[in-house]
Amino acid sequence: MPLIEIETEIHCDTKTCFDLARNIDVHTESLKHTDEIPVAGKTTGLIELGEWVSWEAKHFGFVQHLTSKITEMKSPHYFVDEMVFGAFKSFRHEHIFDKTKNGTLMVDKFYFESPLGALGQVANALFLKRYMTKLLKKRNELLKQKAEDVCCNKGNVKSLYINEMVEL
């Protein structure tokens, strides 16, 4: 099963980064280039343990649907979303947030298995792993920017922002 691991250093507190990463509205904004929108389940605000969301997006020229569920959560350090329906045979996305002297180290571990056996493995090697890495990095760039804007603009007073997140 392929693994994509990405580390992003963010100059902001762990709680803000954690909440931004599980915010449906921020996720939608970060992947607007794929026309990704939530269509069922939790469709706005902060997703919680046990909740699910169904997404519609355009990838590789095709409209696709994917449903993922939050299966593990330890606020503000860790949460996992896993695919329950979609184009992959399976995926598990671990979101890890560790406090550092400069803020937060956000680590994404994205495990995925393509359908179609050997043909799926060829697709992984040729383009899928690279495509998913680019997608996750683009999402993380927006998360980093938003978190650092919040921490800079709020003078490190984040508790007010968390309540505003639901209204993005």
Side-chain angles (χ1 to χ4, degrees):
M1 180 180 293
L3 166 64
I4 299 168
E5 187 166 342
I6 300 169
E7 294 185 356
T8 307
E9 181 72 36
I10 304 174
H11 301 286
C12 191
D13 68 286
T14 303
K15 178 76 169 124
T16 298
C17 297
F18 177 83
D19 285 344
L20 281 167
R22 62 192 183 96
N23 186 290
I24 300 293
D25 306 296
V26 172
H27 181 93
T28 302
E29 182 181 350
S30 72
L31 295 178
K32 65 183 171 189
H33 65 285
T34 66
D35 297 326
E36 188 156 335
I37 58 170
V39 294
K42 179 75 172 184
T43 59
T44 190
L46 301 177
I47 195 162
E48 300 289 348
L49 180 63
E51 293 183 324
W52 58 274
V53 58
S54 290
W55 298 96
E56 179 179 281
K58 189 178 285 188
H59 298 283
F60 305 111
F62 298 97
V63 173
Q64 298 183 32
H65 294 91
L66 179 131
T67 300
S68 63
K69 181 178 181 178
I70 304 299
T71 58
E72 299 176 40
M73 183 178 290
K74 294 179 186 169
S75 180
H77 301 289
Y78 181 78
F79 74 93
V80 175
D81 63 284
E82 295 187 69
M83 186 192 82
V84 293
F85 173 82
F88 291 98
K89 184 174 180 181
S90 67
F91 82 60
R92 174 184 172 89
H93 188 176
E94 298 176 5
H95 307 259
I96 303 160
F97 305 87
D98 289 323
K99 184 177 180 176
T100 66
K101 68 177 185 170
N102 295 320
T104 301
L105 177 64
M106 181 174 72
V107 179
D108 286 278
K109 292 184 179 183
F110 186 79
Y111 302 87
F112 66 99
E113 189 173 357
S114 299
L116 306 176
L119 186 58
Q121 290 177 2
V122 170
N124 291 344
L126 292 178
F127 63 88
L128 191 55
K129 187 171 183 179
R130 186 171 49 252
Y131 179 82
M132 292 306 300
T133 300
K134 184 177 176 183
L135 198 71
L136 291 168
K137 284 183 176 180
K138 186 166 185 73
R139 180 176 182 275
N140 288 357
E141 286 173 15
L142 182 96
L143 288 172
K144 176 180 172 69
Q145 174 194 352
K146 284 198 167 295
E148 291 178 351
D149 285 351
V150 167
C151 287
C152 179
N153 292 335
K154 296 283 185 174
N156 290 325
V157 177
K158 275 70 69 184
S159 60
L160 298 174
Y161 179 69
I162 300 310
N163 293 330
E164 294 170 10
M165 289 301 301
V166 176
E167 300 172 14
L168 278 180

